[in-house]
Amino acid sequence: MASLGSSELILNPDGSIYHLNLLPEDISPIIITVGDPSRVSQVSQCFDSIEVQKTKREFVTHTGFYSGKRITALSTGIGTDNIDIVFNELDALANIDFQTRKVKDQKTQLNIIRVGTSGSIQADIPVDSFLMSTSGIGFDGLLHFYESGHVRNQPFEKALNDYLCWDKHNIHPYVVDGDPELIEFFSSNRIRYGVTGTNSGFYGPQGRSLRLQTKIPDFNEKLAAFSCQNQRITNLEMETAAMYGLAKMLGHRTISLNVILANRATMEFSKKGRLSIDGLIKYTLDTIAQNPLV
């Protein structure tokens, strides 16, 4: 193939990728993503050693070792627009030769684990519990900009679209399943399972109304009442569906692990959020350390 132009694969003067400010050798094939830049140090404080620390914009990266495994912790910021940047640039770091600007013949598969926060829309999922997203529903539209039909769960997607009838609101959700191997790796009696809605904002797109009137006043109730393939929609956040879609298209594996900080059905919010996040981080690191396939 032809070399990628400088306006497409954008590199900084030091040869690093444009937004993340990273060189190919800065990352591990095992990557923990977090939204909040300050949460990267929550992860890396558990490392036995740290060899890379870089920051640009909202993207903070620490790479180090935990129980003999080299791991990268990276903040994505909030939203699927940032996920589009992060996943494309992580893939470029792994699978494009920056000298020739050509895609490598031999591809590297990344394992990307999201450690994030989320809000439940089901009354029986308590705050401070851990939830793994078996599938992600994108209400944002990102995957509609890619040839993504082959990675989407189209029967689930059709059932949801038929049920919602939200075409009149210009909402066309897409559905992508999580990686089955990573789901198996991270399964335990500490983890709940659910289908996660990925929204394009925190307020109106998640049914919150402060001073602005939302267009769909029963947004969360409508989602909570839906079920398909013996699954129900359990929680809302802002990254998972895009992660699942981009990873599958690029040949990577990814899974989203969530701390439930809010329960929208019972109107509760966690009083010990940081401790709960620390618990999920430790669970994630220990699972990685104990699994020879990651």
Side-chain angles (χ1 to χ4, degrees):
M1 65 170 290
S3 298
L4 293 161
S6 58
S7 66
E8 309 309 299
L9 174 65
I10 306 173
L11 302 179
N12 297 313
D14 66 352
S16 62
I17 196 76
Y18 184 56
H19 295 93
L20 300 185
N21 193 37
L22 296 174
L23 298 166
E25 59 266 29
D26 291 335
I27 65 167
S28 163
I30 305 170
I31 300 169
I32 294 174
T33 65
V34 297
D36 184 351
S38 68
R39 201 174 299 147
V40 172
S41 61
Q42 273 184 268
V43 177
S44 67
Q45 70 183 358
C46 300
F47 289 175
D48 302 314
S49 62
I50 301 173
E51 61 180 23
V52 175
Q53 295 186 69
K54 292 188 175 181
T55 301
K56 186 179 180 184
R57 305 188 187 194
E58 61 266 57
F59 307 114
V60 177
T61 304
H62 292 179
T63 296
F65 287 86
Y66 181 84
S67 295
K69 293 279 185 80
R70 189 171 188 255
I71 300 171
T72 294
L74 167 67
S75 62
T76 63
I78 297 174
T80 59
D81 51 343
N82 276 20
I83 294 300
D84 186 58
I85 291 170
V86 170
F87 273 56
N88 275 288
E89 293 197 359
L90 285 175
D91 179 74
L93 289 164
N95 292 314
I96 296 177
D97 186 319
F98 283 10
Q99 299 301 315
T100 64
R101 294 179 166 270
K102 293 183 178 181
V103 176
K104 297 176 182 178
D105 293 330
Q106 188 70 33
K107 305 296 189 300
T108 297
Q109 183 181 65
L110 302 176
N111 295 282
I112 306 172
I113 302 101
R114 174 183 180 267
V115 175
T117 58
S118 185
S120 171
I121 59 172
Q122 302 288 352
D124 63 340
I125 300 178
V127 296
D128 300 308
S129 59
F130 299 163
L131 185 143
M132 178 162 51
S133 306
T134 54
S135 301
I137 300 171
F139 294 100
D140 59 298
L142 175 65
L143 255 61
H144 298 313
F145 287 90
Y146 293 97
E147 292 292 346
S148 60
H150 63 292
V151 303
R152 296 179 355 222
N153 183 337
Q154 298 204 35
F156 193 117
E157 190 173 298
K158 183 180 187 308
L160 179 62
N161 278 287
D162 289 347
Y163 164 79
L164 293 175
C165 296
W166 282 355
D167 286 358
K168 61 187 176 185
H169 301 304
N170 296 314
I171 298 174
H172 307 277
Y174 59 85
V175 180
V176 188
D177 298 331
D179 182 85
E181 289 185 314
L182 290 186
I183 289 173
E184 182 178 351
F185 294 162
F186 285 92
S187 294
S188 81
N189 57 13
R190 296 187 62 189
I191 298 283
R192 296 169 180 264
Y193 306 89
V195 175
T196 297
T198 294
N199 305 82
S200 56
F202 186 77
Y203 289 95
Q206 293 190 37
R208 286 185 176 91
S209 178
L210 301 183
R211 290 205 313 119
L212 296 176
Q213 180 62 47
T214 57
K215 199 171 186 181
I216 309 172
D218 61 345
F219 186 88
N220 290 348
E221 292 81 3
K222 188 84 168 172
L223 295 180
F226 175 77
S227 66
C228 180
Q229 300 174 353
N230 295 316
Q231 298 183 89
R232 59 180 181 163
I233 302 172
T234 50
N235 60 305
L236 305 177
E237 49 74 81
M238 296 176 65
E239 290 86 32
T240 296
M243 292 180 63
Y244 286 7
L246 291 173
K248 284 196 171 184
M249 287 187 288
L250 290 166
H252 304 304
R253 302 192 302 185
T254 191
I255 197 68
S256 177
L257 306 178
N258 303 266
V259 173
I260 301 298
L261 287 189
N263 187 299
R264 304 293 301 284
T266 63
M267 306 294 284
E268 296 175 88
F269 194 84
S270 172
K271 294 181 173 62
K272 55 174 186 177
R274 185 181 175 92
L275 287 175
S276 297
I277 293 166
D278 281 340
L280 184 58
I281 289 169
K282 191 67 166 60
Y283 173 81
T284 302
L285 289 170
D286 286 343
T287 303
I288 291 171
Q290 294 164 13
N291 200 306
L293 299 179
V294 178

Short mmCIF file of all heavy atoms in Angstrom, two decimals, residues 98-134:
data_model
loop_
_atom_site.label_atom_id
_atom_site.label_comp_id
_atom_site.label_asym_id
_atom_site.label_seq_id
_atom_site.Cartn_x
_atom_site.Cartn_y
_atom_site.Cartn_z
N PHE A 98 6.27 3.87 11.59
CA PHE A 98 6.33 5.32 11.52
C PHE A 98 7.43 5.82 10.59
O PHE A 98 7.39 6.98 10.15
CB PHE A 98 6.54 5.91 12.92
CG PHE A 98 5.29 5.91 13.78
CD1 PHE A 98 4.15 5.24 13.40
CD2 PHE A 98 5.26 6.61 14.99
CE1 PHE A 98 3.01 5.24 14.17
CE2 PHE A 98 4.12 6.63 15.78
CZ PHE A 98 2.99 5.93 15.37
N GLN A 99 8.40 4.99 10.26
CA GLN A 99 9.47 5.40 9.35
C GLN A 99 8.98 5.37 7.90
O GLN A 99 9.17 6.32 7.15
CB GLN A 99 10.69 4.48 9.53
CG GLN A 99 11.30 4.51 10.92
CD GLN A 99 11.74 5.89 11.34
OE1 GLN A 99 12.38 6.62 10.56
NE2 GLN A 99 11.40 6.27 12.57
N THR A 100 8.32 4.28 7.52
CA THR A 100 7.84 4.16 6.14
C THR A 100 6.42 4.68 5.97
O THR A 100 5.98 4.86 4.83
CB THR A 100 7.86 2.68 5.70
OG1 THR A 100 6.91 1.94 6.51
CG2 THR A 100 9.25 2.08 5.88
N ARG A 101 5.72 4.89 7.10
CA ARG A 101 4.32 5.32 7.11
C ARG A 101 3.41 4.30 6.42
O ARG A 101 2.39 4.64 5.84
CB ARG A 101 4.15 6.70 6.44
CG ARG A 101 4.81 7.83 7.19
CD ARG A 101 4.63 9.15 6.48
NE ARG A 101 4.97 10.25 7.39
CZ ARG A 101 4.11 10.86 8.20
NH1 ARG A 101 2.84 10.48 8.19
NH2 ARG A 101 4.49 11.85 8.98
N LYS A 102 3.79 3.04 6.51
CA LYS A 102 2.99 1.96 5.93
C LYS A 102 2.49 1.01 7.02
O LYS A 102 3.15 0.83 8.04
CB LYS A 102 3.81 1.18 4.90
CG LYS A 102 4.16 1.98 3.66
CD LYS A 102 4.92 1.12 2.65
CE LYS A 102 5.23 1.92 1.39
NZ LYS A 102 5.95 1.08 0.38
N VAL A 103 1.31 0.43 6.77
CA VAL A 103 0.77 -0.56 7.70
C VAL A 103 1.66 -1.80 7.66
O VAL A 103 2.07 -2.27 6.59
CB VAL A 103 -0.68 -0.93 7.30
CG1 VAL A 103 -1.22 -2.04 8.20
CG2 VAL A 103 -1.58 0.30 7.38
N LYS A 104 1.96 -2.33 8.84
CA LYS A 104 2.81 -3.50 8.94
C LYS A 104 2.09 -4.75 8.42
O LYS A 104 0.87 -4.88 8.57
CB LYS A 104 3.22 -3.73 10.39
CG LYS A 104 4.05 -2.61 10.99
CD LYS A 104 4.33 -2.89 12.47
CE LYS A 104 5.13 -1.77 13.11
NZ LYS A 104 5.35 -2.01 14.56
N ASP A 105 2.85 -5.67 7.85
CA ASP A 105 2.27 -6.95 7.43
C ASP A 105 1.88 -7.79 8.64
O ASP A 105 0.83 -8.44 8.64
CB ASP A 105 3.27 -7.71 6.56
CG ASP A 105 3.54 -7.02 5.23
OD1 ASP A 105 2.61 -6.34 4.73
OD2 ASP A 105 4.66 -7.14 4.71
N GLN A 106 2.73 -7.80 9.64
CA GLN A 106 2.48 -8.57 10.86
C GLN A 106 1.81 -7.66 11.89
O GLN A 106 2.38 -6.67 12.33
CB GLN A 106 3.80 -9.11 11.43
CG GLN A 106 3.63 -10.08 12.58
CD GLN A 106 3.04 -11.41 12.15
OE1 GLN A 106 3.29 -11.87 11.04
NE2 GLN A 106 2.24 -12.00 13.02
N LYS A 107 0.58 -8.00 12.28
CA LYS A 107 -0.19 -7.15 13.19
C LYS A 107 0.00 -7.59 14.65
O LYS A 107 0.19 -8.77 14.94
CB LYS A 107 -1.68 -7.20 12.85
CG LYS A 107 -2.02 -6.84 11.41
CD LYS A 107 -1.66 -5.40 11.08
CE LYS A 107 -2.20 -4.99 9.72
NZ LYS A 107 -1.69 -5.81 8.60
N THR A 108 -0.06 -6.62 15.54
CA THR A 108 -0.03 -6.86 16.99
C THR A 108 -1.42 -6.64 17.54
O THR A 108 -2.04 -5.60 17.29
CB THR A 108 0.96 -5.91 17.68
OG1 THR A 108 2.28 -6.18 17.21
CG2 THR A 108 0.91 -6.08 19.20
N GLN A 109 -1.91 -7.62 18.29
CA GLN A 109 -3.23 -7.48 18.92
C GLN A 109 -3.06 -6.89 20.31
O GLN A 109 -2.29 -7.39 21.12
CB GLN A 109 -3.92 -8.84 19.02
CG GLN A 109 -5.33 -8.76 19.60
CD GLN A 109 -5.99 -10.12 19.71
OE1 GLN A 109 -5.55 -10.98 20.48
NE2 GLN A 109 -7.05 -10.34 18.94
N LEU A 110 -3.79 -5.82 20.58
CA LEU A 110 -3.78 -5.19 21.89
C LEU A 110 -4.91 -5.73 22.75
O LEU A 110 -5.98 -6.08 22.24
CB LEU A 110 -3.92 -3.67 21.75
CG LEU A 110 -2.86 -2.96 20.89
CD1 LEU A 110 -3.20 -1.48 20.76
CD2 LEU A 110 -1.46 -3.15 21.47
N ASN A 111 -4.68 -5.78 24.05
CA ASN A 111 -5.71 -6.11 25.03
C ASN A 111 -5.99 -4.85 25.83
O ASN A 111 -5.12 -4.38 26.58
CB ASN A 111 -5.23 -7.23 25.96
CG ASN A 111 -5.02 -8.53 25.23
OD1 ASN A 111 -5.96 -9.24 24.93
ND2 ASN A 111 -3.77 -8.85 24.91
N ILE A 112 -7.19 -4.29 25.66
CA ILE A 112 -7.51 -3.00 26.25
C ILE A 112 -8.65 -3.18 27.25
O ILE A 112 -9.74 -3.63 26.88
CB ILE A 112 -7.90 -1.98 25.16
CG1 ILE A 112 -6.78 -1.91 24.10
CG2 ILE A 112 -8.14 -0.61 25.78
CD1 ILE A 112 -7.14 -1.08 22.88
N ILE A 113 -8.38 -2.84 28.50
CA ILE A 113 -9.35 -3.03 29.57
C ILE A 113 -9.75 -1.66 30.13
O ILE A 113 -8.90 -0.93 30.64
CB ILE A 113 -8.77 -3.91 30.70
CG1 ILE A 113 -8.34 -5.28 30.16
CG2 ILE A 113 -9.78 -4.08 31.83
CD1 ILE A 113 -6.86 -5.41 29.94
N ARG A 114 -11.01 -1.32 30.00
CA ARG A 114 -11.50 -0.07 30.57
C ARG A 114 -11.85 -0.27 32.04
O ARG A 114 -12.58 -1.19 32.40
CB ARG A 114 -12.75 0.42 29.83
CG ARG A 114 -13.41 1.65 30.45
CD ARG A 114 -14.69 2.03 29.72
NE ARG A 114 -15.32 3.21 30.33
CZ ARG A 114 -16.25 3.17 31.27
NH1 ARG A 114 -16.70 1.99 31.70
NH2 ARG A 114 -16.77 4.27 31.76
N VAL A 115 -11.32 0.58 32.89
CA VAL A 115 -11.71 0.65 34.29
C VAL A 115 -12.39 1.99 34.48
O VAL A 115 -11.73 3.04 34.55
CB VAL A 115 -10.50 0.50 35.23
CG1 VAL A 115 -10.92 0.69 36.69
CG2 VAL A 115 -9.84 -0.86 35.04
N GLY A 116 -13.72 1.98 34.49
CA GLY A 116 -14.47 3.23 34.46
C GLY A 116 -15.57 3.29 35.50
O GLY A 116 -15.75 2.37 36.31
N THR A 117 -16.31 4.37 35.44
CA THR A 117 -17.44 4.57 36.33
C THR A 117 -18.71 4.65 35.49
O THR A 117 -18.68 4.95 34.30
CB THR A 117 -17.28 5.85 37.15
OG1 THR A 117 -17.15 6.97 36.27
CG2 THR A 117 -16.06 5.76 38.05
N SER A 118 -19.84 4.38 36.14
CA SER A 118 -21.08 4.27 35.40
C SER A 118 -22.26 4.46 36.35
O SER A 118 -22.11 4.42 37.57
CB SER A 118 -21.14 2.89 34.74
OG SER A 118 -22.27 2.76 33.91
N GLY A 119 -23.43 4.66 35.75
CA GLY A 119 -24.66 4.77 36.52
C GLY A 119 -25.64 3.69 36.13
O GLY A 119 -25.91 3.48 34.95
N SER A 120 -26.19 2.99 37.13
CA SER A 120 -27.17 1.94 36.86
C SER A 120 -28.54 2.53 36.59
O SER A 120 -28.92 3.55 37.17
CB SER A 120 -27.25 1.00 38.06
OG SER A 120 -28.32 0.11 37.92
N ILE A 121 -29.31 1.87 35.71
CA ILE A 121 -30.71 2.25 35.50
C ILE A 121 -31.64 1.17 36.03
O ILE A 121 -32.85 1.24 35.84
CB ILE A 121 -31.02 2.56 34.02
CG1 ILE A 121 -30.72 1.35 33.13
CG2 ILE A 121 -30.25 3.79 33.56
CD1 ILE A 121 -31.18 1.53 31.68
N GLN A 122 -31.07 0.16 36.69
CA GLN A 122 -31.85 -0.92 37.29
C GLN A 122 -31.75 -0.83 38.81
O GLN A 122 -30.65 -0.75 39.36
CB GLN A 122 -31.34 -2.29 36.82
CG GLN A 122 -31.36 -2.49 35.31
CD GLN A 122 -32.77 -2.66 34.75
OE1 GLN A 122 -33.75 -2.78 35.49
NE2 GLN A 122 -32.89 -2.67 33.43
N ALA A 123 -32.89 -0.85 39.50
CA ALA A 123 -32.92 -0.64 40.95
C ALA A 123 -32.15 -1.72 41.71
O ALA A 123 -31.66 -1.46 42.83
CB ALA A 123 -34.36 -0.60 41.44
N ASP A 124 -32.02 -2.92 41.15
CA ASP A 124 -31.38 -4.01 41.88
C ASP A 124 -29.87 -4.08 41.69
O ASP A 124 -29.23 -5.03 42.15
CB ASP A 124 -32.01 -5.35 41.48
CG ASP A 124 -31.81 -5.69 40.00
OD1 ASP A 124 -31.52 -4.76 39.21
OD2 ASP A 124 -31.93 -6.87 39.64
N ILE A 125 -29.27 -3.09 41.03
CA ILE A 125 -27.81 -3.03 40.88
C ILE A 125 -27.31 -1.91 41.79
O ILE A 125 -27.45 -0.72 41.47
CB ILE A 125 -27.39 -2.79 39.43
CG1 ILE A 125 -27.90 -3.93 38.54
CG2 ILE A 125 -25.88 -2.67 39.32
CD1 ILE A 125 -27.59 -3.77 37.08
N PRO A 126 -26.72 -2.23 42.94
CA PRO A 126 -26.41 -1.21 43.94
C PRO A 126 -25.18 -0.38 43.59
O PRO A 126 -24.32 -0.81 42.81
CB PRO A 126 -26.18 -2.04 45.20
CG PRO A 126 -25.69 -3.36 44.70
CD PRO A 126 -26.42 -3.60 43.41
N VAL A 127 -25.10 0.80 44.18
CA VAL A 127 -23.89 1.60 44.04
C VAL A 127 -22.72 0.86 44.67
O VAL A 127 -22.89 0.06 45.59
CB VAL A 127 -24.06 3.01 44.67
CG1 VAL A 127 -25.14 3.80 43.95
CG2 VAL A 127 -24.37 2.89 46.16
N ASP A 128 -21.54 1.11 44.12
CA ASP A 128 -20.27 0.51 44.54
C ASP A 128 -20.10 -0.94 44.09
O ASP A 128 -19.10 -1.58 44.41
CB ASP A 128 -20.06 0.61 46.06
CG ASP A 128 -20.04 2.05 46.55
OD1 ASP A 128 -19.26 2.84 45.98
OD2 ASP A 128 -20.81 2.39 47.46
N SER A 129 -21.05 -1.49 43.33
CA SER A 129 -20.87 -2.82 42.76
C SER A 129 -20.04 -2.72 41.48
O SER A 129 -19.89 -1.65 40.90
CB SER A 129 -22.21 -3.49 42.50
OG SER A 129 -23.00 -2.73 41.60
N PHE A 130 -19.49 -3.86 41.05
CA PHE A 130 -18.71 -3.94 39.83
C PHE A 130 -19.55 -4.58 38.74
O PHE A 130 -20.24 -5.58 38.98
CB PHE A 130 -17.44 -4.78 40.02
CG PHE A 130 -16.49 -4.26 41.06
CD1 PHE A 130 -15.49 -5.09 41.58
CD2 PHE A 130 -16.55 -2.96 41.52
CE1 PHE A 130 -14.60 -4.63 42.53
CE2 PHE A 130 -15.67 -2.48 42.48
CZ PHE A 130 -14.69 -3.33 42.98
N LEU A 131 -19.49 -4.03 37.52
CA LEU A 131 -20.27 -4.55 36.41
C LEU A 131 -19.40 -4.63 35.16
O LEU A 131 -18.70 -3.67 34.81
CB LEU A 131 -21.50 -3.68 36.15
CG LEU A 131 -22.47 -4.17 35.07
CD1 LEU A 131 -23.92 -3.87 35.46
CD2 LEU A 131 -22.18 -3.57 33.70
N MET A 132 -19.45 -5.78 34.49
CA MET A 132 -18.74 -5.98 33.23
C MET A 132 -19.73 -5.88 32.08
O MET A 132 -20.79 -6.51 32.11
CB MET A 132 -18.04 -7.33 33.22
CG MET A 132 -17.33 -7.65 31.92
SD MET A 132 -16.11 -8.98 32.07
CE MET A 132 -17.04 -10.27 32.88
N SER A 133 -19.40 -5.11 31.08
CA SER A 133 -20.29 -4.88 29.94
C SER A 133 -20.14 -6.02 28.93
O SER A 133 -19.13 -6.12 28.24
CB SER A 133 -19.97 -3.55 29.25
OG SER A 133 -20.00 -2.48 30.18
N THR A 134 -21.17 -6.87 28.85
CA THR A 134 -21.14 -7.94 27.85
C THR A 134 -21.38 -7.39 26.45
O THR A 134 -20.93 -7.97 25.47
CB THR A 134 -22.19 -9.01 28.19
OG1 THR A 134 -23.47 -8.38 28.32
CG2 THR A 134 -21.85 -9.71 29.49
#
